[in-house]
Amino acid sequence: MTNDTIVATATAPGRAGVAVTRVSGTRARDVITALCGRLPEARKATRFLFRDPGTGDVLDDGLVLWFPGPASFTGEDTAEFQGHGGKAVTDALLQTIRRMDGVRIAEPGEFSRRAFLNGKLDLTRVEGLADLIQAETDAQRRQALQQMDGALARLYDSWREELVRRLAWMEAHIDFPDEDIPPDLDRSARNGLEELAQTIDAYLSDNRRGERIRDGIQIAVIGRPNAGKSSLVNALAQREAAIVSDQAGTTRDIIEIHLDLGGFPVTIADTAGLRSSNEDIEAEGIRRARVRASTADLKIAVFDLTEWPELDEETLSLVDSSTLIVLNKSDVATPYPDRMLTISGSGAHSLLLSTRSGEGMTELLSTLTAMVAERLNAGAHAPPALTRQRHRDALEDCRDSLLRAIHAPMLELMAEDVRLAARALGRITGRVEVDDLLDVIFSDFCIGK
């Protein structure tokens, strides 16, 4: 990291009542003095006229906050200028500051990167901050806040500290075999490592709950042509997201909509109608529909109730316990309520619906929300959710190293595998071997954060 002082607008571009411009680095004090004439009291908002130091022209009238390092977000001297949010005002302030010696525009995520390098944040907290900025649903917000508060770091650090403590005893026994070391060290160490390996393995078997909350649960809408799939998707989206036509085969490719269901992020995919087709483009759409159905977290299988009891066998073959069965066109068909729950032996939910009249939509949304919540809620006492693939990769490396250590024929080999397991955990929080990760992690941030 250089000694440059960095500046950026921390608020989103466009018109607003207030815009925040942030400065961090050794020259932050000089920037405040140049624009305002003096330093305000630390950590107290003070009103100033912001003046161009070259011309004396007034740039804006606003508030300044002064955070002397290391008691700041980045750990460096930091200033925040809170002015009016017009584009001309923010541009004038930003350009005036960047023209000062030793000051440059910040790169994406550079404020957070400096906070990490100065020990203010570990990498899991940095990622939690990024997730909080991008959160669109309540579940995403809660998960991001928990991670930003250090829940993941505390869990991973507790495992790492246990390994470091055991490693210290092993190395003491290796280096000083004549000292008073407990004779059952080998057996107790193997038992402890096996218990931790089982704990990590159980933690990894979470059905990717945290990653699904971050990225959204995937729901595929499947069924034969003209069953009402696109009409259902439009009803869920409350807009014309998909083309609706009486002509079979209208939907050729997958159309996605994004919803907030009970605070959980959901992506619903309208797929091509399932049938045999000799037309190349439609056949490719049908192939993609089957692939999406096989990889989706949940499925909505739409059937045309006017065809009861002769229902589409190809769609029925894709029904399982993660499927919500929708019997559409209930407004023009004779329902058979005593048969609704026996349409499949898979235990799938089923309900009546009319996309034309809206009958059954409330029940559908309620049932779908419950199915999503069942997959993503882990209970109040569950450990913080694993949220990224890089965490999963490191934890798998840790578990594998522990399994090797448990079966190591010599204490020296056991100690080496325990060291590798501890290093794998350290990579998650940023304690070891993270230089190659930093550019990737911080490049996802917006400028000014």
Side-chain angles (χ1 to χ4, degrees):
M1 186 175 64
T2 69
N3 292 323
D4 292 345
T5 295
I6 56 175
V7 60
T9 302
T11 43
R15 295 178 182 177
V18 176
V20 176
T21 300
R22 307 178 77 189
V23 181
S24 180
T26 55
R27 296 221 55 202
R29 176 192 300 264
D30 299 331
V31 170
I32 296 178
T33 304
L35 268 65
C36 304
R38 63 179 178 85
L39 276 179
E41 182 180 342
R43 286 171 288 280
K44 180 179 180 181
T46 308
R47 183 179 176 183
F48 284 101
L49 291 177
F50 308 156
R51 295 182 181 272
D52 186 323
T55 65
D57 292 342
V58 175
L59 302 173
D60 197 10
D61 181 351
L63 300 177
V64 174
L65 283 160
W66 163 236
F67 302 96
S72 70
F73 174 75
T74 62
E76 304 173 329
D77 287 350
T78 303
E80 286 194 0
F81 295 85
Q82 300 181 7
H84 295 91
K87 184 177 186 300
V89 175
T90 55
D91 285 351
L93 182 60
L94 185 65
Q95 296 306 319
T96 298
I97 295 173
R98 72 179 293 271
R99 285 196 299 267
M100 298 181 186
D101 291 340
V103 181
R104 62 172 173 81
I105 298 293
E107 298 175 359
E110 192 168 2
F111 288 90
S112 298
R113 183 168 185 156
R114 291 188 177 200
F116 166 72
L117 294 173
N118 289 324
K120 291 292 184 176
L121 299 172
D122 70 87
L123 286 184
T124 64
R125 286 182 169 93
V126 168
E127 291 166 332
L129 174 58
D131 288 348
L132 187 62
I133 292 170
Q134 298 179 33
E136 295 181 345
T137 71
D138 196 51
Q140 290 174 326
R141 177 189 61 80
R142 292 195 305 268
Q143 178 170 279
L145 279 172
Q146 185 181 40
Q147 184 169 335
M148 195 175 74
D149 188 50
L152 276 181
R154 288 190 291 272
L155 177 65
Y156 299 152
D157 282 344
S158 68
W159 291 343
R160 184 174 181 274
E161 288 167 5
E162 178 181 346
L163 291 178
V164 169
R165 185 170 59 253
R166 292 188 180 279
L167 182 61
W169 279 98
M170 293 177 193
E171 292 184 339
H173 185 61
I174 293 169
D175 294 340
F176 307 102
D178 297 331
E179 297 296 325
D180 186 18
I181 304 295
D184 62 344
L185 172 65
D186 182 84
R187 177 172 52 81
S188 64
R190 292 180 194 273
N191 290 341
L193 296 178
E194 184 173 10
E195 182 178 343
L196 181 56
Q198 291 172 350
T199 298
I200 293 175
D201 200 48
Y203 181 71
L204 286 167
S205 302
D206 64 345
N207 199 30
R208 296 185 178 269
R209 176 174 60 90
E211 292 156 277
R212 282 185 164 90
I213 290 177
R214 280 189 69 240
D215 302 329
I217 197 164
Q218 301 292 317
I219 302 177
V221 181
I222 59 174
R224 67 178 301 169
N226 292 337
K229 301 185 302 302
S230 296
S231 296
L232 173 57
V233 169
N234 288 340
L236 290 170
Q238 297 184 349
R239 60 184 174 86
E240 294 296 321
I243 297 173
V244 177
S245 171
D246 291 334
Q247 180 180 345
T250 302
T251 301
R252 299 299 184 91
D253 206 350
I254 294 171
I255 297 172
E256 294 183 343
I257 64 168
H258 302 279
L259 298 179
D260 179 341
L261 284 182
F264 296 107
V266 168
T267 298
I268 296 182
D270 181 19
T271 64
L274 301 175
R275 66 172 180 173
S276 298
S277 175
N278 295 322
E279 203 272 317
D280 290 344
I281 296 178
E282 184 181 4
E284 174 60 19
I286 293 169
R287 185 194 68 80
R288 294 185 183 187
R290 294 192 181 103
V291 170
R292 177 58 71 96
S294 68
T295 59
D297 302 303
L298 295 171
K299 295 185 287 290
I300 301 176
V302 183
F303 294 94
D304 186 343
L305 191 56
T306 63
E307 299 177 356
W308 183 271
E310 299 298 327
L311 298 183
D312 173 39
E313 292 294 333
E314 186 165 6
T315 303
L316 280 174
S317 69
L318 299 177
V319 170
D320 55 27
S321 60
S322 65
T323 305
L324 172 60
I325 295 173
V326 172
L327 297 162
N328 190 30
K329 305 182 183 180
S330 62
D331 57 326
V332 294
T334 303
Y336 296 84
D338 59 325
R339 298 285 301 277
M340 292 304 97
L341 298 179
T342 60
I343 190 172
S344 170
S346 64
H349 300 279
S350 64
L351 53 86
L352 294 172
L353 178 72
S354 169
T355 56
R356 179 178 299 176
S357 70
E359 179 187 358
M361 280 300 300
T362 299
E363 184 184 357
L364 183 146
L365 285 169
S366 169
T367 303
L368 198 59
T369 300
M371 293 174 71
V372 170
E374 181 182 357
R375 281 156 176 77
L376 296 183
N377 272 327
H381 303 293
L386 193 164
T387 61
R388 278 172 167 76
Q389 184 62 44
R390 79 170 191 92
H391 301 184
R392 189 174 297 277
D393 292 342
L395 288 170
E396 289 173 350
D397 288 346
C398 175
R399 178 200 57 197
D400 294 345
S401 294
L402 290 176
L403 293 177
R404 289 196 304 271
I406 293 166
H407 299 99
M410 301 168 54
L411 188 59
E412 290 83 356
L413 295 177
M414 182 191 296
E416 178 60 22
D417 282 322
V418 171
R419 184 180 295 107
L420 292 174
R423 289 177 72 85
L425 291 174
R427 289 200 304 271
I428 302 177
T429 56
R431 294 185 180 277
V432 295
E433 294 179 355
V434 297
D435 288 346
D436 56 337
L437 289 172
L438 297 187
D439 289 340
V440 174
I441 290 174
F442 290 102
S443 65
D444 290 336
F445 277 77
C446 53
I447 301 289
K449 194 57 182 174

